[in-house]
Amino acid sequence: MRIVIKIGSNLIATEEGLSEKRINALSSDISEVHSMGNEVVVVSSGAIAAGMKRLGLKTKPRDIMHKQAAAAAGQSGLMWAYEKSFSKYGKKVAQILLTRDAFFDRNRYINAKNTILTLLSYGVIPIINENDTVAVDEIKFGDNDQLASLVAGLVDADRLIILSDVDGLYTKDPKRYKNARLIERVEDITPELEKTAGMSGSSLGTGGMYSKLLAAKKAMGFGITVNIINGNIPGLLKRLLNGEHYGTEFQPKGRKVSSRKGWIAFGLRSRGSIVVDDGAREAILKKGKSLLPSGIVTTSGNFSSGDAVYCVDKEGKRFAKGLTNYSSLEIEKIKGHKTSEIEGILGYKYSDEVIHRDNLVILEG
Ligand code: GLU
């Protein structure tokens, strides 16, 4: 089985900086899972928390420069701690730092994927973090929960396991409410559930339960099972993989999306949208057809050919996402027209389809 394990800052860092004891405990558990014959990719936060200690900062910096300085100072300490712990169990690790733009471009996406798969073929445990030092808003994942879900899609993982400092997803914040109840299984991430997950932020990490839910939703979209379990309890990982139930399990509804379609749906950032009429919507959803100019009502946003855009219905509901062959300016000229008229209007034609069905992904829900 191929597993992505996400470790949050709260699990391995305290106000005192990195906890080597905690890193060692987790490395021991992960090594065991690896020795069971699984391929394991770790996504670990903790660089900023570790760097804060090194730079003598008492609270998490808010401005980007100090955050990046802390991340740079902390990342080497983080890897050093993992190196030491994993080597005790005879495991080799490798560092991979990614920014969101690794997912924007098909070649870079494939490259990142191949590097990770090659490391796995050598029995190495890749340890991935965001490349905080260079990541500005435009190329940020936001938080490591999102990074972990995209990585899970990237490597075609069978499982994404998010280690948290609580037992799983609760009906309320368990740290504040005694009557909070653990939600054991989730098949559908409904708006109510998103509300439930609330905004339970934490001081060291970036993502709370809400961001874990969004990450789970993405991974489920790739057809990957997601577990949120308590990373503070030794041995839980192994027991989970042996079939015992812990924490919250998110079960995707069937089909696994191809890595290419997953990349379009979740990896790429949308640059705008195309509003289509009911006929085109039906043709795409029910018959798996391409999007042609005749079914287009209008566009929103400024996008170029090759960009990812949403297809939305007349009510504004997104139902598909794809790579457009024409820019928003071009589409504004050819919308509502027959395919045979494209060349007459533009003076050239890239293709009959505005979005070819091979580059079009239906969005769930
Ligand atoms: N990449 C950040 C770090 O290593 C953490 C981001 C997160 O926790 O989501 O400190």
Side-chain angles (χ1 to χ4, degrees):
M1 192 148 63
R2 185 170 293 159
I3 308 164
V4 174
I5 299 174
K6 191 258 170 178
I7 301 174
S9 301
N10 283 335
L11 279 180
I12 52 172
T14 64
E15 252 87 73
E16 297 305 309
L18 280 184
S19 159
E20 297 212 359
K21 198 167 144 224
R22 295 287 320 132
I23 291 186
N24 193 43
L26 288 166
S27 304
S28 158
D29 275 3
I30 294 170
S31 296
E32 219 174 353
V33 164
H34 188 259
S35 295
M36 284 158 70
N38 297 299
E39 292 179 320
V40 181
V41 176
V42 171
V43 173
S44 179
S45 313
I48 295 180
M52 278 163 58
K53 168 76 178 164
R54 285 196 172 174
L55 300 183
L57 303 171
K58 289 275 175 285
T59 51
K60 188 170 172 176
R62 285 179 183 274
D63 65 297
I64 185 106
M65 245 161 14
H66 284 86
K67 259 190 209 162
Q68 292 184 324
Q75 179 64 27
S76 55
L78 182 66
M79 279 314 293
W80 172 228
Y82 276 122
E83 283 274 2
K84 276 192 296 187
S85 316
F86 274 110
S87 69
K88 280 189 206 150
Y89 308 101
K91 303 294 178 193
K92 288 168 280 196
V93 298
Q95 168 182 267
I96 295 185
L97 299 175
L98 293 175
T99 45
R100 185 77 171 74
D101 54 352
F103 291 79
F104 294 165
D105 175 88
R106 185 79 189 146
N107 284 333
R108 296 182 64 182
Y109 185 81
I110 302 273
N111 227 332
K113 175 176 176 146
N114 288 342
T115 306
I116 298 172
L117 296 188
T118 305
L119 286 166
L120 291 178
S121 76
Y122 278 100
V124 170
I125 301 176
I127 300 181
I128 303 180
N129 196 357
E130 176 152 17
N131 193 356
D132 292 307
T133 313
V134 298
V136 287
D137 275 351
E138 255 300 284
I139 53 165
K140 267 187 99 50
F141 288 99
D143 60 60
N144 274 14
D145 296 317
Q146 312 314 312
L147 169 60
S149 65
L150 289 173
V151 165
L154 175 75
V155 302
D156 284 319
D158 302 294
R159 282 266 190 144
L160 167 62
I161 303 177
I162 300 178
L163 301 181
S164 169
D165 58 351
V166 291
D167 285 340
L169 181 65
Y170 280 85
T171 51
K172 290 178 184 167
D173 181 355
K175 287 179 183 154
R176 283 174 39 206
Y177 299 97
K178 276 225 154 60
N179 62 351
R181 205 170 40 77
L182 183 74
I183 302 172
E184 292 194 3
R185 279 175 217 283
V186 175
E187 277 171 17
D188 240 334
I189 298 190
T190 58
E192 292 78 60
L193 196 63
E194 286 185 22
K195 225 193 227 158
T196 299
M199 297 288 174
S200 60
S202 57
S203 60
L204 286 169
T206 310
M209 264 308 153
Y210 181 67
S211 95
K212 294 191 173 34
L213 206 64
L214 293 186
K217 191 171 176 177
K218 255 187 217 134
M220 284 163 86
F222 282 107
I224 299 168
T225 303
V226 183
N227 297 90
I228 301 179
I229 60 169
N230 194 328
N232 280 318
I233 303 175
L236 217 57
L237 255 181
K238 184 176 163 194
R239 298 209 292 272
L240 177 83
L241 292 168
N242 277 334
E244 291 179 44
H245 182 86
Y246 293 99
T248 306
E249 180 158 307
F250 299 80
Q251 199 62 59
K253 282 196 225 126
R255 67 196 179 85
K256 220 170 163 162
V257 178
S258 75
S259 175
R260 179 180 165 76
K261 291 218 166 174
W263 168 69
I264 293 172
F266 308 106
L268 284 179
R269 199 170 277 178
S270 148
R271 298 290 165 191
S273 42
I274 300 178
V275 182
V276 311
D277 63 22
D278 293 343
R281 181 176 170 279
E282 288 293 286
I284 291 170
L285 287 181
K286 303 252 165 75
K287 298 184 194 138
K289 296 275 194 213
S290 300
L291 176 64
L292 302 177
S294 56
I296 297 177
V297 181
T298 187
T299 59
S300 81
N302 265 321
F303 50 83
S304 315
S305 79
D307 281 345
V309 294
Y310 284 111
C311 294
V312 304
D313 63 18
K314 285 199 271 188
E315 276 72 56
K317 191 171 178 304
R318 295 170 177 175
F319 65 90
K321 189 176 171 192
L323 301 180
T324 174
N325 292 326
Y326 292 93
S327 70
S328 45
L329 284 177
E330 289 164 333
I331 296 175
E332 282 303 325
K333 292 182 192 151
I334 58 174
K335 67 186 183 191
H337 287 278
K338 290 206 194 82
T339 296
S340 56
E341 296 172 305
I342 298 178
E343 198 164 353
I345 298 170
L346 297 178
Y348 52 84
K349 180 171 86 173
Y350 299 131
S351 64
D352 286 350
E353 307 82 12
V354 172
I355 303 179
H356 191 275
R357 59 196 160 100
D358 290 348
N359 292 325
L360 196 55
V361 194
I362 310 297
L363 304 172
E364 298 281 339

